[in-house]
Every structure is written in structure tokens, then in C-alpha cells.
Amino acid sequence: MSAAITTVLAATLGAGVLTAPAGAASLPAAVPAETGTQAAPVTYPNAGILTAVGKTGFLAHAWVDGRRLLQWVRYADGAVTTLDAPVADSTGTDVIMTGKGSTPARSLVLQLRDMAPGGGTVTMDLRPLNATYVKAVSPDTIL
């Protein structure tokens, strides 16, 4: 890695800039890998379509028994949560918006679901406001 960094810097700054002083310590040849820190690979849903990615998992449309379902898959253990909703939107976090309409804009009752461990769900009914969903803009805000 240090050789790659040196090459890039040398090409950018010029080779003479990178000469080390006489008393400088050399970099270690290799850093040993930590043991036991890599998790097992997470199984991707069969014929899935990636919909959103968060810090603790990802959302995909998957085909299960001939039906298209929304599934949240946790990175830590591969646990799959099937969501009872035909449409979803995301802010790029673990919070996703689900609705029962044919599109997010046609969903009048929405749920913001925090899919992180211990997260909760907030339900919003847009009918009394005569409102239409546009976009989930943050983990706790919709437009």
C-alpha cells in the first residue's frame, strides 16, 4: 500500500519531493490482518433487485413463491425481514418509507420504518392533510 501511495504522490508532486530524511523510520512491509473480524457473506435474495442500502442492511425486491416482496436483509447475521407493503422509498439510511399504494405518491398511509436493531415505526396518514407523498428526505422527515 505504501508503494502505491508513493507512486501516486511521486507522479503528482515529482519524485524529489518524497525523499525521506536520513533518520526517518521505514514503514512496515505488511500489516497483519485481524483475526475473527470478518462476518460471513450475506445471501442476496433470489432474483432480487437492490432498492436501498443502509448502515445495518439493505432493501431488495425479491421473488418469493411467484410474488414480488420487499425484504430487508441485515448485514450482521443475514436475517431477512419481509415488509407488508408493495412500495418503498429510502433516504440512504436504515430508515425506509413503505406504503400500500401502487406507487409511493399514491400511498395515503405511510410508515417510516427504522430497520436498525431496536428501531421503531412511525405511521403517517396523509388523508386529513389532503397531502401527497413526494420523497423521504431524512430518517424522520418526508416531503
Side-chain angles (χ1 to χ4, degrees), residues 5 26 33 61 63-64 68 70 95-96 98 112 129 134 141:
I5 293 170
S26 62
H61 281 98
W63 289 96
V64 178
R68 191 178 113 181
L70 287 168
V95 177
I96 55 173
T98 59
L112 282 178
L129 302 171
V134 176
T141 308

Side-chain angles (χ1 to χ4, degrees), residues 3-109:
I5 293 170
T6 303
T7 303
V8 170
L9 290 174
T12 306
L13 302 173
V17 177
L18 297 176
T19 34
S26 62
L27 294 173
V31 177
E34 292 183 34
T35 58
T37 58
Q38 185 172 352
V42 175
T43 304
Y44 191 76
N46 188 26
I49 300 170
L50 187 63
T51 303
V53 177
K55 188 174 184 176
T56 65
F58 65 89
L59 181 68
H61 281 98
W63 289 96
V64 178
D65 297 330
R67 294 182 4 185
R68 191 178 113 181
L69 301 174
L70 287 168
Q71 294 184 326
W72 179 264
V73 181
R74 276 196 318 236
Y75 298 134
D77 57 5
V80 176
T81 303
T82 300
L83 304 175
D84 182 26
V87 296
D89 192 15
S90 172
T91 62
T93 67
D94 288 340
V95 177
I96 55 173
M97 183 288 298
T98 59
K100 302 271 186 184
S102 58
T103 66
R106 292 187 176 263
S107 299
L108 298 176
V109 178

